[in-house]
Amino acid sequence: PATGVTTAAIHHPHELAIVDERGALTWERLHRRSNALAHSFAAMGIGPGDGVGIMCRNHRGFIEATLAAAKLGASALYLNTMFAGPQLAEVTRREGPKALVYDEEFGDLLSGVDDSIARIVAWCDGEVDGPTLEGLIEAGDESNHKPPPHKPKFVILTSGTTGTPKGAINTHGNVAFNARTYRDWIGLTPDDVRRYYIGPILNGG
């Protein structure tokens, strides 16, 4: 995802990348905002190999948190928005993220989450206590990052039908391989892959 959005920002800077309830972001703005968020994450002590839990609805915050983690070589841990409090506490205890990015509506579920995990509110309708994603973006440096020493990983949880959901790691290489395979199978050009594969993934599809 970090490579995809950076490439799109270079070649198609003014095309729309995201449209949500807060408006539209071009590829260039998405790239720069995720740069800024990554710098702020780094200032919080998040770095290569660390985990960032993401418990968000389908909006820019989900995408920006994913990109920022990837730009640092950190892992994005995608948390089910249907979790109950005990499930969230157990999964975060087992997976060990360094920070948790969540929408305000899920705040009541965090009572059992270890206090050592930093809390960052992604979507809120008013003032909240503690850091917000938008505040970290506004405070961050928009400059580009050097490639991290570790490739990012993306952790998707199992359904939990036989117990507490467990993390299944999808590596950067898996994502790239799947994109190339998809292109080869149906004869897409690189621009088609960007438009129909990378774009929808970054937009939560």
Side-chain angles (χ1 to χ4, degrees):
T3 302
V5 76
T6 302
T7 302
I10 293 169
H11 293 288
H12 307 277
H14 306 303
E15 288 189 14
L16 286 180
I18 299 174
V19 179
D20 64 10
E21 291 89 337
R22 296 227 164 113
L25 291 176
T26 64
W27 288 109
E28 181 176 27
R29 285 305 303 146
L30 178 59
H31 173 54
R32 292 187 180 278
R33 282 171 59 87
S34 56
N35 277 351
L37 182 57
H39 281 293
S40 289
F41 277 177
M44 297 174 67
I46 299 170
D50 290 329
V52 177
I54 301 174
M55 192 174 186
C56 299
R57 299 291 186 188
N58 190 20
H59 56 74
R60 64 184 63 190
F62 174 91
I63 300 166
E64 289 171 334
T66 296
L67 291 171
K71 289 179 177 184
L72 295 175
S75 298
L77 168 65
Y78 299 121
L79 298 165
N80 192 336
T81 56
M82 297 298 290
F83 270 169
Q87 285 179 300
L88 179 61
E90 174 61 25
V91 169
T92 54
R93 182 162 50 249
R94 189 185 60 242
E95 300 294 334
K98 202 159 192 177
L100 178 58
V101 177
Y102 64 98
D103 290 345
E104 181 184 19
E105 65 178 290
F106 304 123
D108 292 342
L109 303 178
L110 273 63
S111 59
V113 174
D114 195 290
D115 290 338
S116 64
I117 299 175
R119 291 158 166 76
I120 303 163
V121 177
W123 189 279
C124 55
D125 295 320
E127 296 293 325
V128 296
D129 294 330
T132 65
L133 218 56
E134 194 63 34
L136 293 178
I137 290 170
E138 291 177 358
D141 179 358
E142 293 186 351
S143 64
N144 291 328
H145 294 260
K146 294 181 179 179
H150 301 291
K151 298 294 185 184
K153 296 177 181 177
F154 312 96
V155 183
I156 301 173
L157 297 173
T158 62
S159 63
T161 53
T162 58
T164 304
K166 297 176 177 60
I169 295 175
N170 200 15
T171 66
H172 177 272
N174 293 149
V175 173
F177 175 80
N178 290 338
R180 288 194 300 270
T181 301
Y182 186 67
R183 179 197 66 192
D184 293 342
W185 277 353
I186 61 177
L188 295 180
T189 68
D191 277 347
D192 289 334
V193 173
R194 179 188 64 80
R195 184 176 300 111
Y196 299 117
Y197 186 83
I198 296 174
I201 286 177
L202 293 177
N203 281 287

